[in-house]
Amino acid sequence: DTAVSQTPKYLVTQMGNDKSIKCEQNLGHDTMYWYKQDSKKFLKIMFSYNNKELIINETVPNRFSPKSPDKAHLNLHINSLELGDSAVYFCASSQEIWREGGSYNEQFFGPGTRLTVL
Amino acid sequence: ELKVEQNPLFLSMQEGKNYTIYCNYSTTSDRLYWYRQDPGKSLESLFVLLSNGAVKQEGRLMASLDTKARLSTLHITAAVHDLSATYFCAVAPGIVDKIIFGKGTRLHILP
C-alpha cells in the first residue's frame, strides 16, 4: 500500500497555464507538507497543513495555493505557470510522536511530481 | 534563521573505504533527521536523532548527534556501490512541524 501518493508523476505544460498536483496519505497523519526540489536538488518547504489548517507558509508566490479538503489530502494549485516553477514537487506527511524528553515529526515523502514548464 | 550546512556536497569514493558526512547547523536543536534519496526517487527516512550523544546504526551507516557542537555525522563503513545516493540531513528549529534541509551530499561509490 502506498503511504503517500501524488498525481500526476510528470506534468509538462506551457507558460501561463494553471495546473494542480494532488496528494493523498493513508498513514492517518495530522500534518502534510509541500516541498520544492530544484535542479540542484535543494529541497525547500513551501507549505504545511495540520488538520486542514495552514500552519507554515514560506515565502512562496501567491500563484501557489494549497488546499486541504481533509487531513488525508493536500493539493497544490499553481496559476500562471512560469519557467522558474520547473522543479520536482514533493508532498510529505508526519505525525507528532512524543518520547521522553520531547517530541519529533518524522516526515514521509511521496514519490514526487516532476513539473516542466515550457 | 536556521542554516543547515552539509560537507562535503559531492563525494566519490572506492568500495570498501570508510567516510564521514558532516552536518552543521546554526541554532539550538535536538531533533535531527537523515534522509536518503536515490536518483529520480523520493526521500527515505534513515535516522531520527533526538538527544545529545544519540547514536544510531543501520547496516554500514551510523549517525550521531552532538547538540553542543551543533553537529551530526553520518559515517559509512566499508562502502558498497548500493549506498550511492544523495544524503540529506534536516534539522527542526523549534517549530515542531517544520524541518530545514541541508543541500545534500551526493555520494558516488565506485565499484
Side-chain angles (χ1 to χ4, degrees):
Chain A
D1 282 347
T2 304
V4 183
S5 60
Q6 294 178 229
T7 55
K9 190 170 172 62
Y10 300 96
L11 187 51
V12 181
T13 188
Q14 299 284 336
M15 267 197 324
N17 284 350
D18 303 339
K19 291 293 178 185
S20 292
I21 307 171
K22 296 187 176 181
C23 177
E24 177 180 1
Q25 55 97 2
N26 63 6
L27 297 168
H29 289 168
D30 289 333
T31 308
M32 296 184 72
Y33 312 78
W34 278 110
Y35 285 87
K36 179 180 180 180
Q37 186 173 45
D38 64 22
S39 58
K40 294 183 180 179
K41 305 297 183 188
F42 299 159
L43 198 65
K44 190 169 181 186
I45 189 168
M46 301 172 70
F47 302 103
S48 174
Y49 271 73
N50 182 277
N51 272 316
K52 302 192 296 177
E53 184 179 342
L54 181 66
I55 56 169
I56 296 173
N57 185 353
E58 294 296 295
T59 307
V60 175
N62 57 15
R63 299 181 294 103
F64 290 79
S65 53
K67 282 189 173 52
S68 182
D70 55 61
K71 76 171 194 177
H73 295 85
L74 180 61
N75 303 322
L76 183 65
H77 188 75
I78 315 169
N79 289 326
S80 303
L81 279 155
E82 300 177 357
L83 292 177
D85 297 333
S86 295
V88 180
Y89 292 84
F90 285 100
C91 176
S93 74
S94 72
Q95 183 71 30
E96 188 174 5
I97 298 172
W98 287 89
R99 293 268 178 91
E100 184 179 339
S103 67
Y104 69 96
N105 283 52
E106 184 179 9
Q107 297 187 15
F108 294 84
F109 284 77
T113 295
R114 183 174 294 275
L115 171 64
T116 302
V117 182
L118 303 174
Chain B
E1 182 183 329
L2 173 64
K3 292 193 187 310
V4 181
E5 294 187 358
Q6 286 184 235
N7 180 27
L9 296 183
F10 299 95
L11 178 57
S12 184
M13 55 193 289
Q14 295 284 342
E15 275 194 329
K17 300 290 187 184
N18 303 332
Y19 210 83
T20 301
I21 300 170
Y22 298 89
C23 175
N24 289 92
Y25 53 97
S26 59
T27 61
T28 302
S29 175
D30 57 2
R31 284 168 288 138
L32 190 135
Y33 308 84
W34 283 97
Y35 285 86
R36 169 182 172 149
Q37 185 178 34
D38 291 307
K41 303 291 186 182
S42 185
L43 281 84
E44 172 192 356
S45 178
L46 292 175
F47 301 109
V48 180
L49 302 169
L50 298 176
S51 60
N52 187 40
V55 176
K56 290 202 173 174
Q57 183 161 5
E58 181 76 32
R60 300 174 188 274
L61 300 178
M62 184 173 72
S64 65
L65 177 62
D66 181 344
T67 58
K68 294 179 182 176
R70 298 176 187 169
L71 170 69
S72 179
T73 61
L74 181 66
H75 187 73
I76 303 146
T77 302
V80 293
H81 180 64
D82 287 351
L83 291 178
S84 296
T86 298
Y87 292 86
F88 291 92
C89 68
V91 179
I95 303 171
V96 174
D97 295 326
K98 179 175 177 177
I99 61 175
I100 306 297
F101 281 82
K103 292 182 178 178
T105 296
R106 278 192 217 183
L107 177 63
H108 182 50
I109 298 170
L110 303 169

